[in-house]
Every structure is written in C-alpha cells, then in structure tokens.
Amino acid sequence: MARINENFLKLKAGYLFPEIARRVNAFSDAEPEKAIRLIRCGIGDVTEPLPPAARSAMKEAVDELGERESFRGYGPEQGYEFLRQAVAENAYAGLGVDADEIFVSDGSKCDTGNILDIFGGGQKIAITDPVYPVYVDTNVMAGNTGEGDDSGQFAGLVYLPCTAENDFTPALPEEKVDLIYLCYPNNPTGTVATAEQLEKWVDYARGNDAVILYDAAYEAYVQDAGLPRSIYEIRGARECAIEFRSFSKNGGFTGTRCAFIVIPKELTGSTAGGERVALHGLWARRHSTKFNGVSYPVQRAAEALFSVEGKTQIRNLVEHYMGNAALLKEACERCGLAVYGGEHSPYVWVRCPEGVDSWGMFDKMLQEAQVVVTPGAGFGAAGEGYFRISAFNSRENVEEVCARIAEVFG
Ligand code: MLT
C-alpha cells in the first residue's frame, strides 16, 4: 500500500493563486461578455518585456550551446561561478558575502519551500500574518503544524499579526521560537522594515538561537537609500539569517526563472544532542542531490542584469511599476479607502469598505469592475478585511483600473 503524506489533507483550499484563477475562470464562463474587460491585478506577475541586456546575453548563450567548442552540458548545481561572482560583487557589495555562499536556483518560491529540508521537525516557527502563503503551506506539508481552523490558521505555528493597528510591524514572539520568516519589502502589505526594526529581529534570533528566513524578493523596490535591502546590512545577521532573492520582480524573470539564496558559512543549527552543524554544508548537499542547476542561457541573462545597461533597464522597470503603484494608491485614496504600501513595493494593500470582507471585495471588484485583486484573507487570518492590488501591469491597464475604482467607490 502506498501511503500518502496526510499532512497535505490539512490544506483545505487550493493554493491561493490557482484558487483565484479557478474563480476567475468560473466568472468568465458565466459572464463571457463582462470577461472581455478583465484586468488582472491579482498575482504579482510582471507584464513588461525582458530587459534587452538579458535578452541579448541569453541569445548569445544559446548560440554558444549551438557550437561543439562552446557547448555545455550539466552546469554546477550551485550555479556558474560567473553569476555567483556577479551577485556577490553587485547585490552584496561591501557586505562581505562570498560567491561560494550563494546558491543559484529557479525561484524564491521553490527556495523558501525547499529550505525546510535542512531543518528538523518539532520546531517552533514564527510567521507574520498576513504572509506569502508558501511559508505556511510548506510547513503544513512538512508536518510542522497541527490542523487548520476556519480562519486558515494552523495549530503549532506562532502567528505575528501585522495590521493597521500595529503599523504592520510584527511584535517579537512572546515565546521562544526556532525559525522566523520575514519578508521585506513585505508581500502582501507592501510595508518596509527599518534598520532598527531588523536589528531587533537579529538580536532576538541571536539571543534565542533562532534562524531568520529573510525573503528579499522585492528589494529592488526600496526607494529610500536609508532603508535596508538586505538583512546582511544588520550587524550579526550572518550568524542568524538566510536570505532569499530573485530576478523575477526586478528583471522580469517570472517566466524565465532564476533566483538565489545566501547561506553564510558561519551560520549553524543544532543536532538534538547539541552539536553545531553549518547550514551551508547541509544546503550544498541538498541542492546538489535534488537540483541540477538553472540553464546556462538563463544564468547568462541573469548575469547581464548586473551590467551597466542591465542596471539601468532594471531601474526603468522598477520606476514603471512604482509609477503604477502610485496611481493605484491615489485612486483608492480619492475614494476614501484606507491604503497602505505601494511606496517601497509593487503592492498596494487596501482596507475593505465597512461591511465587506476580503472575498466579498474580490467578488465585488470582479463583478462590478472586472478587475482581479487578491483577497487579504488568502494571505492569512489577519489579512481579513483587506485586499491587495498588484501594480505589475501596463500603464494603460492601471489607468483603466483607476477609472473603474472611481466608478465603483467614487
Ligand atoms: C504574489 O502575487 O504574491 C507573488 O507574485 C507570487 C509569487 O511570487 O509566487
């Protein structure tokens, strides 16, 4: 008898974004005429073409593969040296991250889920709420939680609510935890952490022998040079934090797929018997066993994002999406809605009007405006009463969404 992993049965609904797609498809089947006007501001998926620097590097790399002399088969599982070096020199200039502490992968979604392979069971895990659903769902699958309740919370996890009432700033856990997920700029609330706030987390983690899993997939959207883009800007973070980064949201690689994680060599965890073990070695072992590397053309394209032209092209993309975020924020504010985020992040987080819950708002926007948004409750119990609008879109679509918001709420 092939036994299943029964932890999967604890997951009540489908994964958030396919669930939204399912509901949108049902709407399109039921109302084909309205569906023609659909504008998707749900999942944070980029819409603008790949930067030219990445495209030419990718094409050249494909041509190299077409010649016997320059053909390449399997690459190094951890990523080619040229990309790891470019990441160390550019993304972590002055922060003391070495190329061999970087592991290239096909996405932060996979990395934030897969990282659980190197941690044991029975740990206390702290998760901000609302949160990117992958952190919760992968812990459920790994058996790190009990059952879920009607609000979507799972027994055993330590939830740290982030709402307007606490300025979307999670309090430090009251009990001792072992793993802490943080994401800044935050998905979904669009808020950003100051260095002082991150210092508190690093102090907590070091004081409690905990590891911070720091998701910085949206770091390119930080607009203020005084705000940290990497957890390693904080003294002591190398001893307590793993950082996740991606080329998806800066270089428009959501379909191209390339990301990386940083595991500093001095970062350790403990065996049940108290022996300290370097997490770097465990992840290297895991990565080389379960992963065969990102394709050569894609790694060359990612490397090109660090060239002078590549950096300018990324800046232009970020400016475009941030311009969209500003328009969406203004449009909601003009209608008297309470709006958060959107200043250092491509996500605008909006409070639902009195008497409408998150999924009610999703339905209202779909039915009355044919705009797809993400219901806040899909990101966790504390997201109830909010919805998220993604600024990843063309300017034309965003202007149209703003006009429709005014029609529905104005
Ligand atoms: C989101 O919409 O929250 C993200 O785009 C999903 C993802 O990056 O996997």
Side-chain angles (χ1 to χ4, degrees):
M1 182 172 61
R3 289 270 311 280
I4 62 152
N5 175 352
E6 291 182 36
N7 293 310
F8 279 65
L9 305 181
K10 297 176 191 161
L11 295 163
K12 295 199 174 74
Y15 180 59
L16 177 60
F17 295 106
E19 175 62 20
I20 288 174
R22 192 187 63 72
R23 292 184 188 219
V24 171
N25 289 342
F27 167 80
S28 304
D29 290 344
E31 311 244 21
E33 267 148 44
K34 281 190 182 175
I36 296 167
R37 301 177 78 226
L38 266 180
I39 302 180
R40 293 170 200 270
C41 298
I43 191 165
D45 192 4
V46 295
T47 55
E48 303 309 293
L50 271 186
R55 284 195 329 252
S56 2
M58 202 185 299
K59 285 181 193 161
E60 266 174 42
V62 169
D63 287 342
E64 276 181 57
L65 297 181
E67 301 292 332
R68 178 166 300 281
E69 296 68 37
S70 46
F71 173 77
R72 295 170 189 243
Y74 291 124
E77 294 88 358
Q78 288 86 348
Y80 282 103
E81 183 62 21
F82 62 77
L83 179 55
R84 299 167 89 197
Q85 202 61 49
V87 170
E89 283 166 13
N90 292 278
Y92 294 107
L95 297 182
V97 172
D98 286 337
D100 64 355
E101 294 176 316
I102 292 157
F103 296 84
V104 177
S105 77
D106 60 349
S108 290
K109 180 183 186 177
C110 324
D111 283 340
T112 53
N114 291 334
I115 198 70
L116 291 175
D117 278 5
I118 64 167
F119 292 104
Q123 325 228 23
K124 273 273 169 226
I125 296 163
I127 293 195
T128 54
D129 179 13
V131 79
Y132 181 42
V134 170
Y135 314 155
V136 173
D137 290 7
T138 53
N139 272 291
V140 175
M141 292 171 182
N144 291 340
T145 73
E147 295 295 328
D149 65 17
D150 289 342
S151 72
Q153 291 204 331
F154 288 88
L157 293 179
V158 176
Y159 287 95
L160 308 172
C162 300
T163 59
E165 286 65 39
N166 65 2
D167 247 345
F168 302 98
T169 307
L172 294 176
E174 283 167 11
E175 58 199 289
K176 181 176 165 9
V177 301
D178 308 299
L179 287 180
I180 302 155
Y181 288 84
L182 294 178
C183 170
Y184 289 109
N186 187 257
N187 178 17
T189 66
T191 48
V192 74
T194 61
E196 292 70 35
Q197 287 164 348
L198 291 186
E199 275 161 18
K200 286 193 186 139
W201 281 108
V202 168
D203 288 348
Y204 175 91
R206 294 178 75 196
N208 289 278
D209 198 7
V211 171
I212 297 172
L213 302 174
Y214 192 77
D215 184 348
Y218 298 92
E219 57 77 32
Y221 291 84
V222 172
Q223 301 293 302
D224 178 343
L227 290 168
R229 286 169 172 241
S230 165
I231 188 84
Y232 302 121
E233 290 177 42
I234 310 302
R235 190 189 294 271
R238 286 182 57 86
E239 285 133 56
C240 65
I242 293 177
E243 182 159 295
F244 301 82
R245 289 236 197 151
S246 168
F247 296 102
S248 284
K249 314 289 160 113
N250 56 8
F253 272 37
T254 55
T256 307
R257 311 304 308 149
C258 197
F260 57 90
I261 76 177
V262 178
I263 307 191
K265 297 237 185 73
E266 52 264 60
L267 178 57
T268 60
S270 178
T271 64
E275 184 199 343
R276 305 301 302 188
V277 178
L279 298 183
H280 183 277
L282 296 185
W283 184 252
R285 185 70 175 83
R286 187 263 170 220
H287 205 56
S288 53
T289 304
K290 292 197 179 180
F291 190 61
N292 253 340
V294 172
S295 78
Y296 175 66
V298 168
Q299 291 195 56
R300 279 291 184 203
E303 178 195 26
L305 294 174
F306 293 113
S307 64
V308 175
E309 316 80 71
K311 285 179 182 165
T312 308
Q313 289 157 13
I314 285 186
R315 251 197 315 279
N316 293 341
L317 282 174
V318 167
E319 217 172 280
H320 165 79
Y321 293 126
M322 287 310 292
N324 287 350
L327 290 174
L328 291 165
K329 201 167 159 72
E330 275 161 33
C332 291
E333 279 166 353
R334 269 199 303 274
C335 298
L337 296 166
V339 193
Y340 310 92
E343 283 168 7
H344 301 283
S345 143
Y347 296 128
V348 176
W349 186 243
V350 191
R351 199 157 212 166
C352 301
E354 201 57 36
V356 189
D357 68 10
S358 290
W359 279 104
M361 205 53 214
F362 169 84
D363 287 336
K364 188 174 169 69
M365 290 292 283
L366 192 58
Q367 294 290 341
E368 296 178 25
Q370 289 79 58
V371 173
V372 181
V373 296
T374 309
F379 295 104
E384 180 52 272
Y386 297 86
F387 63 101
R388 191 191 77 176
I389 313 179
S390 161
F392 288 114
N393 224 312
S394 64
R395 184 54 51 86
E396 191 188 355
N397 273 353
V398 164
E399 283 167 355
E400 179 60 24
V401 169
C402 293
R404 292 190 201 171
I405 287 172
E407 274 167 33
V408 174
F409 299 104

